[in-house]
Each structure stands twice: as C-alpha cells, then as structure tokens.
Amino acid sequence: MSRSSAAETVTGWVRRSGVLLFTLIGLLLATGPAVASEWVDYFKPGDAELSTAGYNVARAAAAAYALDPTSTEIMVVGHMDAVEGRTPEARFDVARARAMLLELLYQGVSLQALNIEVQGTRQMARVTDGPDPLNRRVTVRLNKLPPMPNGRPRPPSSRFGHYDQPLIFFDSGSSELSPAREADLVFALRLSMYGHTPGEWRVLIWGFADTVGDPADNLVLSQRRAETVARVLARHGMPWADMEISGTGETQLARATRDEVAEPLNRRVQVRYNKKAVSN
C-alpha cells in the first residue's frame, strides 16, 4: 500500500470515529445526566444499624422514587460476609434489609412499592472466606416498571400484603419466643404501625394451641402465648389500651388433626388491626 493510500485510510477512519464520537455525545446530551438506580450501605461486623451514609441512601432512593411513584418499585437486598455466614441464625442479612426498608417507609416510600430479598453470602461483592466490609452491605435498587396497557391501574407488587395480620409460631408446650421469632414480630409490628395513630385502632391478639395435652391446659397456654406477644408489642410502643388479648386453646385449629398431634401451624398467635368505628 502506498503512503498516500495509507494516509487516506487513516483519515477516513478518524473521520468515521469522530462522527461516532459526536453522535454518542449528542445522545448523552439529549437524554440528560444518568440517574443512579442502585445505592449501597455498608456495615460493621455483626451490625445491622444504618450508618449516616445509610440514611443518605434511603433519602436518595426515596427522592428518586418520588419522581414517579406510580411506576417505580424498590428492591432492598441484604447481604453478609463469610464470617457472619457461619452463624446464619443471626440473620444479619435479614436485619440489614429490614432496617433499610423501614427507613425508606419513614422517608415517604409507599409500602406497596417495597420488596425485600436476603442473599446471605450468595452474592459476594468480593469472594473471600474472611471478613470483608464490601460483603456486609445492603443494596437498594430502584426499578422502573413498564406502563400498564390501556391505562389500567397497576396492582401492588409488594410482598407485604398481609403485614397487618402477622402470625407468630411457638415451640410445642411453650409460650416463649425465640430471638428470631421476636425479631420477626417486632418487624411486623413496625410495618403494621406505619400510618396507624394510637387510639384509632383496636389490636386483636389471639392465642392458639395444638391438640397435645389437656384441653384446659391448652386454653391457658394459648392465653399465655397471646400475653407474650402483647408484652413485646407494648415494649415497642403499642399502647396497652389498644390491645385486646384472648386465648382459644385448641378450638380453632389452622390444620385439623386428631388428638395428641403436635402440629406447628396450630401453635400460634395471630395479630389483627381493626380501625375503630368513629362515633358521632
């Protein structure tokens, strides 16, 4: 190839590259600056409390959600590092995701737009068997939903449709809550109290038992289970005056069984929130 031909080839390539470059710049300018759709907060070992940066994450995600709340959903994902993963019963990934979700609620995001995932150690930012701050994290991902056909209203995508009627389960013969079950109850309480004004709601707490043992003893046991749940709710801000506590023994089985059958679904407490009638 002659020098002139080579020069022409290089010149043509530069021109084509320049056109492509200016085209890309034009597209970027036309669409405006990119908007972040994912935020991350990191945690100390064994900790699930949001940092100052975490509160800023919640505020940023809530502000982005407020721009188009009818077609936006938010996924909150909790993670642990490898060391924390060796004690999965501690459930740091669950606690981190829940802490962020509750803060998003306080920042004005609708519960119907929120979802949670817990990944444990399955999605490490940096693969390692040791402690790693990059893996002790919670991510907040904002997803834009496609428009509904014919302008129909969008159904809620949240997984918390029954948050106002939590079920709490107990071990056989026991009215004590394990730490994990108490954490589940407190989370359900904080969700259910969102938007509820003290004094405007009647909180019904019903205790149940399975068919193991004497029916009279099971009636007492179911009452104690309901009282256990009520004490937890009271410690976390639920007024005693708003609660109504009762035990039903083994008379209302979630799963019908013969006598002397240990059935986990029947060893439970159900909490229901009813808005009080307004008197004229």
Side-chain angles (χ1 to χ4, degrees):
M1 180 182 295
S2 65
R3 290 185 178 179
S4 60
S5 298
E8 290 175 0
T9 300
V10 172
T11 302
W13 179 83
V14 170
R15 286 175 178 171
R16 289 193 297 272
S17 299
V19 171
L20 178 60
L21 177 62
F22 283 110
T23 301
L24 290 174
I25 292 173
L27 287 173
L28 289 173
L29 292 174
T31 56
V35 178
S37 60
E38 184 168 296
W39 301 263
V40 185
D41 186 31
Y42 300 96
F43 296 82
K44 297 176 182 178
D47 187 21
E49 296 294 326
L50 296 181
S51 65
T52 301
Y55 290 109
N56 289 334
V57 163
R59 283 192 285 270
Y65 162 82
L67 296 175
D68 189 11
T70 60
S71 61
T72 303
E73 68 175 6
I74 294 179
M75 178 66 71
V76 181
V77 187
H79 305 265
M80 300 187 292
D81 68 17
V83 174
E84 295 171 331
R86 292 175 195 138
T87 54
E89 65 276 6
R91 305 197 308 172
F92 293 114
D93 52 346
V94 175
R96 288 163 182 164
R98 287 176 171 178
M100 180 59 74
L101 182 140
L102 289 169
E103 183 59 29
L104 288 166
L105 271 178
Y106 298 147
Q107 293 294 334
V109 177
S110 168
L111 183 62
Q112 301 304 317
L114 290 168
N115 284 295
I116 272 185
E117 282 185 3
V118 288
Q119 291 293 337
T121 60
R122 291 186 294 274
Q123 293 184 1
M124 289 188 174
R126 182 161 53 198
V127 178
T128 174
D129 290 332
D132 195 311
L134 293 182
N135 294 327
R136 298 188 300 266
R137 69 194 194 280
V138 63
T139 59
V140 179
R141 188 167 60 247
L142 186 146
N143 300 319
K144 287 292 184 180
L145 302 173
M148 291 291 291
N150 302 322
R152 291 191 306 230
R154 185 180 305 281
S157 60
S158 174
R159 299 174 187 173
F160 302 106
H162 302 290
Y163 71 95
D164 57 342
Q165 297 185 37
L167 288 172
I168 303 94
F169 297 96
F170 291 80
D171 293 332
S172 183
S174 174
S175 60
E176 299 299 317
L177 285 171
S178 68
R181 287 173 177 165
E182 181 165 339
D184 291 341
L185 173 60
V186 172
F187 177 65
L189 167 69
R190 295 181 71 179
L191 285 183
S192 60
M193 290 181 71
Y194 175 71
H196 290 185
T197 302
E200 292 185 355
W201 295 83
R202 194 68 180 160
V203 183
L204 308 178
I205 305 172
W206 298 316
F208 304 85
D210 61 20
T211 60
V212 175
D214 183 76
D217 292 339
N218 282 335
L219 180 61
V220 174
L221 178 60
S222 68
Q223 179 74 21
R224 290 208 309 267
R225 286 171 173 162
E227 291 169 353
T228 295
V229 169
R231 285 194 295 272
V232 173
L233 299 185
R235 284 202 307 270
H236 289 84
M238 180 65 69
W240 279 103
D242 289 354
M243 292 188 280
E244 181 178 313
I245 306 164
S246 63
T248 66
E250 56 184 73
T251 62
Q252 297 183 29
L253 302 178
R255 175 175 289 170
T257 69
R258 298 186 302 275
D259 199 23
E260 297 298 328
V261 174
E263 173 50 60
L265 292 180
N266 294 331
R267 302 191 299 265
R268 70 195 192 279
V269 166
Q270 181 172 356
V271 181
R272 177 172 293 175
Y273 298 82
N274 290 339
K275 194 171 182 64
K276 293 179 181 178
V278 179
S279 57
N280 295 325

